Amino acid sequence: MAKAQHRTPEYRAAYQQLRRAQAAGQWLVCVESECKRSSRDISPLDRASISHDQTGTVILGPSHLGCNLSEAASRGNRMRAARVRRLVL
Ligand SMILES: [Zn+2]
């Protein structure tokens, strides 16, 4: 099941816009602060996704799928680490 942040009309609209742009052969630019690729260019053939800000509520724009997943994973790790620290202290 998709996360709540992926069920909003804004996210769906942004995602459809991304798919349409790629289908039309347009190149996009990865918005992640730490792009994992050698170039921020997103080709029409790259697997792309829509990135949110750190709160997960504001849509930033298109990103490489790998960059987005990497950012989400490190954000999750930070949140889990903070929770563990609270439990330990
Ligand atoms: Zn990227």
Side-chain angles (χ1 to χ4, degrees):
M1 187 164 175
K3 289 189 204 166
Q5 68 183 21
H6 295 158
R7 286 197 299 266
T8 65
E10 292 80 13
Y11 177 85
R12 276 202 284 259
Y15 191 73
Q16 280 175 7
Q17 198 176 23
L18 163 71
R19 302 306 310 208
R20 268 201 298 271
Q22 286 200 300
Q26 290 178 20
W27 286 66
L28 303 165
V29 177
C30 180
V31 298
E32 281 295 342
S33 52
E34 289 185 39
C35 184
K36 307 292 179 193
R37 300 288 196 87
S38 55
S39 159
R40 287 189 174 269
D41 291 343
I42 303 174
S43 90
L45 299 177
D46 280 329
R47 292 182 69 194
S49 60
I50 297 296
S51 282
H52 291 84
D53 75 342
Q54 300 236 329
T55 66
T57 55
V58 179
I59 291 171
L60 298 177
S63 58
H64 297 114
L65 182 61
C67 299
N68 191 4
L69 294 178
S70 168
E71 192 282 325
S74 58
R75 175 157 30 102
N77 288 341
R78 279 196 303 276
M79 282 164 52
R80 276 186 292 280
R83 210 160 34 230
V84 168
R85 274 197 297 278
R86 274 201 302 278
L87 290 174
V88 169
L89 294 175

